[in-house]
């Protein structure tokens, strides 16, 4: 290799590196909040939804003069849905970016991996999507992990109850996506079924990228399932619904909220409305003041055409409320110190949020911002998510 | 397991297997001519589906035009991969083409993620609305078309390779590229062509699969790996063995689920791949070649 | 210290500094990078030494990460001891995986490892009681070397220390006996087996070692992250590890560290790119792969590499060893001691049978190979001679008959076991370990492939002595891949001797040697036999057979035809009939009588003017000028390595010429690709036939006709009719044809192209004399019909009567030009121009 071409190669690399280092830098006195979420890959939509909710809340806070007189800045990191990447990102946000709090994304395993680090470094960590029970119920004292989202164990109880009251289910079959989230609900649903004295017809797993899950459903049908309880994201959930339709099996479907993370209606087609599922918020319900404002922001900033166009609505809703709650806590604590923020979070008063009006949302023993009463059962009506009739 | 479940598993598995086989043919054609493959074969598959969706749903082109242009772009993409990520490495005797094709795949996948959008989309096809019932299972026209298309393509490919002049040139390049040149054959043209065909096959597969599946930037990844497993299982030496490898894999997956349930299905499927290759290192349908020294 | 060493030390200092001073995040990332480099070092054992690609190392990492936590709680032991136990178990799993992996190659191997990665990922997810399933394990321990758990900073220091300790460890392994054998198996499996290397063991060790190192990295990584789940070890991670090795520089000790810097550390600098990071990562990988072919390590060591390269190419014929010093004579006597078998024993084969499908390759072949003598096997091509060697050495298993070796029969022993017992072979097409140096090639055989056995004292001296014993005088430090043909033969022979054979099986050792070289060869073989070794050789050249062997066996069509003393066999009528094909081997020229006057008016067809080219480090040609008229026959004669094939490759366009001009029909061929030259009518019948083995005879001929756009059925029949031998074989795969038939086919294929000028490169190589005669008869006919021929060959007595012009080539140059053939006495010419070499 000649020296000239060698020099050119080095220069090419150098230019590429320099271009990437020139990303915008935040000012030192700003209050930084971090987000570790899936921004690429299959769950990228969730990261985008959370980003929107956080950004709208932060801009609103900054428009009113920020927190403690300082501007709030969002620092985002992609975890690629991988726990080690998430751990690296969280450590970077905590140690190098010196954020004041970290928000977590859709993946329960990533959040579970971040929990010990958050508690170790006294960093408030707020889950705005991942519903795994162990995230908040982690045995640490003091516990720095909060959640403004559903919790699997509670959702599972609600799902079983809904299946038996609404559809008279006596032998539900479970269809779970083969990942950590499916497994978390596997445990929760079995426990909930046992508590409700309901026998399960069987538990079948589907892959994130299955094309046809007829064999799984055929097994459940032979086992005598009278309802299906679905825990899956939009795409695999849709594959399940399509297989169900082709089998001509008119079995009721009760679903966790994962199917709302994408265009479930478009993916499934006509039978999308057959699935009744849980949400923490529906942009189709009559909105409160905050709801109107957030919708207006979504429309003006992100070109959203209406409620039907809001992808993964719970991510945006939860993230918005969580950021506002964090803002209140920082104001209350008059500090960005992790321990002070935690104490302030556990002692918040009232906040008229998007999902509901929060009254003392957290306490030292309860870090769940939302309760089963806040869950609503909804279904698709065309592209609209509407409360079940 | 009752008979209905078994029957539906057979139908499902065969359909799935043909899809694997169809994608796997893309590995076969390039491997045959150049002993290289686009390891990110899932990417042209995804491109086919994504482009048809974009042309049809955003630009409102007629379906035939959307499909034709999409397949043409997939073929061009295949050639581009060969030109940029395979040929330079093969030329210097490096095996890094495998990694380079993965890198190109990563780039394209992420570009699609930002342009096409993050959420999986559903592609409608009139072929999924018509169909017939078979033992309580509805078989749509598309599900019939996929195996038919797969078998037809396999048959045509097999005939072309075996009997046509192009096929002879292709085999000549496969067996000895330097000597093929002495026969007035331009190996880079043949290899480039095989990559175009490979990209087109993946594109066709993507378009066929899309209405049954979902359209997204990441839709091809697992298909690419499964199809690679299918190609290897079949023994990558011929169009039919590759197709049969696909069908074997699809049937195995569906039958394992039907028999033992879905919990250990993935585990068992991949253990089977290892066992099969340990027992038959040339693949299920590969032809043993007597070694000479 | 070289540049690589300096870079390594600088990186070590930087890493230790960062580990000592960095914040939590920085030491964490450093720990991840260090453990990734450690995985890279493990993978480098496979990729860089045995040349096996694994796309499943995330699986080993996962095993290494899960096992310590599980073991620590089940066995109530500390995390550190559990880690070491886990490392051993992971290594064991790796060794077990090598067994299915051993049987498969290339993409098949990649698939086995991919499947393994998925099996581990799914297995962990499904085995919930032990692993926590998808929800993973948290609260992972930390090694406690001094009684109390390491702090995160100390843990990172440990990880960095281990990653850098792997650098000298890898360098040591690479040059160790095991490393030598690993690299040997990478170059040629069959040659490795022929000197006693147990492939299963070497591969299993490489796999096991690679897995164990990866397992250790997993234990440390788990401790650093303090949380693991199946999703921590996705398929993409396995790809990342391969990238670390490739980008760093495969086979280079420092490679994994450098690769880890790029693949793990660099993306962290760009974490601010958030969702665009993967896109950027893809671009970065692509750019690095394209721009740095030897990885970063190659960039750092580039200057020393090129220096080594120029040294290697410098005049390979020059004797590098100090001539006969006292030391050298000492060493020679050591070689003699080494070669004397402690227990000389011969080989008695009785009624050997071998079938391939329905084909009987060998039938009732009984051959006695006594110690201290040279036994020869002759027979026409396709008689089953090489099959016999393959049976005896254990490459094939026999379908019937017995082989007695010393006291015991051999049974179905594997090839490497027979090699260790003293049955060592060479190959018809030389199989050297091309990436190893000449000396390493020979040294590799000194322990008969055993890993545990120590090399004899001063193995290098012994290896040199053995090289001298066989007459090799070239440099010993250059890669064997750069050697010319003759030297390759000699080094292979020396390597076989280094394996301390009791029975030495040589497959056409004289092929491609000049007459004088063959004389030397006979002397060497006689010496070897005198040490008490049973020498067995397959040979075409009757002069070699006559002068060397005490007993000759003749095979025909897989059946024994005759045996006896060379003289008796040579007189045997059946042998003459089968082997020589005719009782009158003298070629009578039927050359057309074409006056010189007739040629003047004929236009210039080919004009070669001052052409230079090179083929690797050898086969360099310079200043070659040849003029050729249409309708004439030109011969280029010269010994092997003279540059004839290089010239033919250059003319056909397979090799670019670096100076001078080639005009065909008055038009320059510069920049014209080989396939375009073929279309213009410049057609090469390449050395070694190069027919397409999987295609039928007819399809081969059709392919030949591509140059003129195909061939009609009638033309095809006419063409076939020229070669009566091929007519009954028309639909048979060409690979099943005998050597002579293949050469006929290659010639027919060349004619099918409708050439203006037919180039023939060594058309008689490896052909029995009778077949060579037949071939030249066919060439004669073509010349009569007015086709221009340019023939490169060494068998001058066949070429001379045919040629209008004769060029003698030596050392890459045309050394003589003799117009007209009739007046040249073949014997005189051969003496003058070949035996001088």
């Amino acid at each position: 290799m000649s020296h000239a071409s060698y020099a050119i190669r080095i220069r090419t690399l150098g230019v590429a590196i320099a271009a990437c280092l020139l990303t915008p830098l935040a000012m030192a006195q700003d209050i930084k909040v971090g987000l570790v979420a899936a921004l690429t890959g299959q769950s990228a939509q969730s990261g985008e939804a959370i980003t929107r909710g956080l950004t709208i809340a932060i801009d609103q806070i900054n428009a009113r003069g920020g927190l403690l007189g300082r501007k709030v800045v969002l620092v985002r990191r992609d975890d690629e849905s991988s726990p080690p990447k998430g751990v690296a990102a969280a450590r970077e946000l905590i140690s190098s970016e010196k954020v004041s709090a970290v928000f977590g994304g859709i993946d329960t395993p990533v959040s579970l991996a971040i929990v010990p680090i958050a508690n170790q470094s006294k960093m408030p960590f707020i889950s705005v999507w991942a519903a795994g029970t162990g995230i908040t119920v982690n045995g640490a004292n003091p516990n720095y992990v909060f959640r403004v989202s559903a919790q699997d164990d509670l959702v599972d109880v609600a799902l079983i109850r809904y299946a038996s009251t609404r559809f008279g289910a006596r032998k539900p079959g479970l269809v779970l996506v083969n990942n950590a989230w499916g497994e978390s609900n596997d445990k929760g649903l079995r426990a909930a079924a046992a508590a409700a004295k309901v026998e399960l017809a069987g538990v079948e797993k589907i892959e994130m990228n299955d094309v046809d899950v007829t064999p799984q459903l055929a097994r459940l049908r032979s086992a005598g399932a009278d309802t299906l309880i679905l825990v899956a994201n939009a795409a695999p959930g849709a594959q399940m619904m399509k297989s169900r339709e082709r089998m001509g099996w008119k079995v009721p479907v009760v679903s966790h909220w994962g199917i709302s993370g994408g265009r479930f209606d478009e993916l499934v087609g006509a039978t999308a409305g057959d699935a009744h599922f849980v949400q923490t918020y529906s942009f189709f319900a009559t909105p409160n003041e905050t709801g109107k404002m957030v919708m207006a922001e979504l429309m003006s900033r992100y070109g959203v055409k209406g409620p039907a166009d809001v992808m993964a609505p719970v991510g945006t809703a939860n993230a918005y409320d969580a950021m506002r709650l964090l803002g209140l806590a920082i104001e209350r604590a008059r500090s960005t110190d992790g321990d002070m923020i935690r104490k302030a979070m556990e002692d918040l008063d009232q906040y008229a949020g998007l999902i509901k009006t929060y009254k003392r949302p957290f306490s030292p023993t309860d870090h769940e911002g939302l309760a089963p009463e806040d869950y609503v059962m909804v279904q698709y009506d065309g592209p609209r998510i509407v409360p079940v009739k | 397991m009752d008979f209905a479940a078994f029957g539906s598993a057979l139908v499902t598995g065969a359909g799935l297997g043909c899809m694997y086989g169809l994608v796997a043919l893309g590995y076969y054609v390039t491997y045959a001519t150049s002993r290289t493959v686009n390891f990110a074969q899932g990417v042209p598959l995804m491109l086919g589906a994504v482009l048809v969706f974009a042309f049809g749903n955003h630009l409102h082109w007629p379906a035939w035009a959307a499909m034709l242009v999409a397949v043409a772009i997939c073929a061009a993409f295949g050639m581009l991969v060969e030109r940029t990520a395979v040929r330079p490495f093969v030329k210097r005797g490096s095996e890094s083409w495998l990694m380079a094709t993965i890198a190109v795949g990563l780039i394209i996948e992420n570009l699609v993620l930002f342009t096409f959008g993050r959420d999986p989309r559903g592609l409608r096809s009139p072929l999924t609305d018509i169909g017939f019932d078979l033992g309580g299972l509805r078989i749509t026209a598309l599900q019939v078309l996929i195996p038919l298309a797969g078998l037809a393509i396999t048959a045509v490919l097999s005939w072309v390779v075996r009997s046509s002049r192009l096929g002879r040139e292709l085999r000549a390049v496969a067996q000895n590229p330097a000597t093929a040149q002495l026969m007035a054959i331009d190996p880079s043209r043949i290899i480039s062509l095989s990559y175009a065909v490979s990209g087109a096959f993946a594109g066709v597969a993507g378009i066929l699969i899309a209405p049954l599946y979902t359209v997204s930037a990441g839709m091809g990844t697992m298909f690419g790996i499964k199809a690679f497993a299918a190609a290897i299982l079949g023994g990558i030496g011929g169009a039919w063995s590759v197709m049969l490898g696909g069908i074997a894999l699809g049937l195995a997956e569906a039958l394992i689920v039907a028999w033992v349930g879905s919990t250990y299905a993935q585990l068992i499927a991949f253990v089977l791949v290892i066992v099969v290759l340990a027992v038959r290192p040339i693949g299920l349908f590969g032809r043993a070649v007597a070694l000479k020294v | 210290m070289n540049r690589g060493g300096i870079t390594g030390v600088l990186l070590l200092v930087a890493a230790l500094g960062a580990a000592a001073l960095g914040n939590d995040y920085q030491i964490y990332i450093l720990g991840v990078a260090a453990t990734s480099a450690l995985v890279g070092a493990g993978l480098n054992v496979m990729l860089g030494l045995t040349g096996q690609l694994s796309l499943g190392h995330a699986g080993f990492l996962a095993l290494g990460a899960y096992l310590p936590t599980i073991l620590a709680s089940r066995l109530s032991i500390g995390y550190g001891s559990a880690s070491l136990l886990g490392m051993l178990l992971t290594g064991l799993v790796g060794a077990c995986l090598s067994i299915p992996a051993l049987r498969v190659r290339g993409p098949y191997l990649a698939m086995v490892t991919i499947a393994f990665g998925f099996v581990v990922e799914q297995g962990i997810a499904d085995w919930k009681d032990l692993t926590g399933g998808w929800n993973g394990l948290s609260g992972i321990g930390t090694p406690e070397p001094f009684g109390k758990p390491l702090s995160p900073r100390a843990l990172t220091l440990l990880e960095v220390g281990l990653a850098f300790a792997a650098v000298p460890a890898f360098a040591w392994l690479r040059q160790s006996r095991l490393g030598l054998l690993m690299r040997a198996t990478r170059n040629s499996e069959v040659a490795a087996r022929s000197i006693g290397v147990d492939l299963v063991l070497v591969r299993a060790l490489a796999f096991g070692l690679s897995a164990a190192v990866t397992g250790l990295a997993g234990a440390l990584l788990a401790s650093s992250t303090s949380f693991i789940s199946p999703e921590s070890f996705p398929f993409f991670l396995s790809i990342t590890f391969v990238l670390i090795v490739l980008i760093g520089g495969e086979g280079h000790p420092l490679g994994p560290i450098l690769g880890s810097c790029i693949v793990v550390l660099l993306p962290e600098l760009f974490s601010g790119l958030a969702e665009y990071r993967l896109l950027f990562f893809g671009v970065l990988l692509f750019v690095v792969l394209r721009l740095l072919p030897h990885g970063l390590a190659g960039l750092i060591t580039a200057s020393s590499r090129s220096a080594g390269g120029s040294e290697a190419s410098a005049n390979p014929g020059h004797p590098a060893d100090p001539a006969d010093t006292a030391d050298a004579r000492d060493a020679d006597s050591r070689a003699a001691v080494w070669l004397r078998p402690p227990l000389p024993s011969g080989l008695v084969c009785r009624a050997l049978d071998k079938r391939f499908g329905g084909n009987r390759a060998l039938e009732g072949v009984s051959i006695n190979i006594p110690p201290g003598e040279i036994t020869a096997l002759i027979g026409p091509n396709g008689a089953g001679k090489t099959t016999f060697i393959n049976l005896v050495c254990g490459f094939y298993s026999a379908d019937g008959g017995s082989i007695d070796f010393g006291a015991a029969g051999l049974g179905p022993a594997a090839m490497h076991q027979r090699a260790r017992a003293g049955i060592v072979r060479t190959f018809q097409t030389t199989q050297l370990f091309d990436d190893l140096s000449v000396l390493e090639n020979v040294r590799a055989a000194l322990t008969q492939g055993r890993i545990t056995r120590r090399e004899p004292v001063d193995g290098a001296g012994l290896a040199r002595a053995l090289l001298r014993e066989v007459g090799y005088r070239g440099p010993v430090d250059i890669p064997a891949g750069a050697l010319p043909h003759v030297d390759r033969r000699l080094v292979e022979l020396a390597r076989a001797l280094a394996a301390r054979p009791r029975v030495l099986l040589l497959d056409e050792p004289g092929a491609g040697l000049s007459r004088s070289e063959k004389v030397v060869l006979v002397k060497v073989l006689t010496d070897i036999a005198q040490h008490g070794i049973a020498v067995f050789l397959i040979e075409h050249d009757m002069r070699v057979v006559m002068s060397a062997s005490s007993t000759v066996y003749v095979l025909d069509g897989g059946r024994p035809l005759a045996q006896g003393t060379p003289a008796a066999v040579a007189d045997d009528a059946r042998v003459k009939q089968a082997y020589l094909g005719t009782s009158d081997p003298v070629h009578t020229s039927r050359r057309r009588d074409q006056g010189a006057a007739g040629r003047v008016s004929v236009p210039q067809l080919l004009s070669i003017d001052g052409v230079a080219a090179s083929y690797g480090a050898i086969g360099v040609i310079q200043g070659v000028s040849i003029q050729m008229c249409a309708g004439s026959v030109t011969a280029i004669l010269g010994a092997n390595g003279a540059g004839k094939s290089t010239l033919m490759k250059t003319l056909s366009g397979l090799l670019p010429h670096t100076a001078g001009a080639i005009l065909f029909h008055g038009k320059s061929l510069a920049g014209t690709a080989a396939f375009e030259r073929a279309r213009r009518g410049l057609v090469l019948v390449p050395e070694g036939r190069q027919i397409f083995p999987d295609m039928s005879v007819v399809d081969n001929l059709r392919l030949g006709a591509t140059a003129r756009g195909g061939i009609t059925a009638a033309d095809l029949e006419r063409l076939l009719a020229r070669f009566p031998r091929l007519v009954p074989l028309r639909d048979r795969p060409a690979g099943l044809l005998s050597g002579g038939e293949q050469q006929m086919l290659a010639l027919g294929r060349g004619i099918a192209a409708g050439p203006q000028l037919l180039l023939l490169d060594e058309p008689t190589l490896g052909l029995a004399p009778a077949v060579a005669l037949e071939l030249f008869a066919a060439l004669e006919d073509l010349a009569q019909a007015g086709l221009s021929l340019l023939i490169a060959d060494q068998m001058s007595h066949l070429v001379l009567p045919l040629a209008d012009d004769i060029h003698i080539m030596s050392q890459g140059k045309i050394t003589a030009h003799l117009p007209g053939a009739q007046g040249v006495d073949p014997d005189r010419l051969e003496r003058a121009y070949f035996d001088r070499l």
Side-chain angles (χ1 to χ4, degrees), chain A residues 9 76 92 96 109 178 183, chain C residues 25 134 231 271 275 280 291:
Chain A
R9 284 169 196 206
R76 300 187 309 148
E92 191 222 337
S96 295
N178 186 16
E183 191 174 294
Chain C
Y25 158 68
W134 283 113
E231 283 166 294
S271 58
E275 62 258 57
F280 174 75
L291 294 187

Side-chain angles (χ1 to χ4, degrees), chain B residues 105-124:
Chain B
L106 197 61
I107 295 168
I108 300 293
E109 208 179 300
N110 278 278
L111 285 178
V112 170
L113 194 70
F114 299 125
T115 49
F116 178 71
R118 293 181 169 82
D119 48 324
R121 305 296 302 259
L123 186 66
R124 299 263 134 229

Side-chain angles (χ1 to χ4, degrees), chain C residues 631-720:
Chain C
S632 71
V633 176
T634 300
I636 298 170
L637 303 178
N640 257 87
K644 301 189 304 293
S645 284
T646 306
L647 176 62
M648 293 309 234
K649 282 200 173 76
T650 309
L651 292 178
S652 69
L654 289 178
L655 203 64
H657 57 274
T658 50
I662 304 173
L663 300 182
F664 184 58
H665 281 309
K667 282 190 197 131
S668 169
L669 289 180
T672 311
F675 63 91
E676 288 166 6
R677 295 188 196 192
R679 281 177 200 163
R680 288 201 203 165
L682 183 63
V683 175
L684 170 67
V685 178
E687 184 184 12
R689 280 91 77 174
Q690 309 288 344
I691 45 92
F692 297 103
D694 293 351
M695 281 190 248
S696 69
V697 166
V698 169
D699 274 355
N700 266 279
L701 293 175
R702 286 204 182 108
L703 266 173
T706 312
R708 53 166 160 155
I711 187 167
T712 64
D715 281 350
L716 186 67
E717 293 311 318
R718 261 195 294 281
L719 181 60
L720 257 179

Side-chain angles (χ1 to χ4, degrees), chain C residues 362 377-389 508 538 540 555:
Chain C
L362 280 186
L377 177 62
I378 63 173
N381 272 79
K385 302 187 296 294
T386 300
T387 304
F388 175 76
I389 286 196
E508 299 196 23
I538 294 173
H540 274 307
L555 277 187

Side-chain angles (χ1 to χ4, degrees), chain C residues 600-618:
Chain C
V600 175
S601 59
V602 178
Q604 192 82 348
L605 179 65
L606 180 73
S607 161
I608 308 169
D609 192 12
V611 160
S614 68
Y615 189 59
I618 56 155

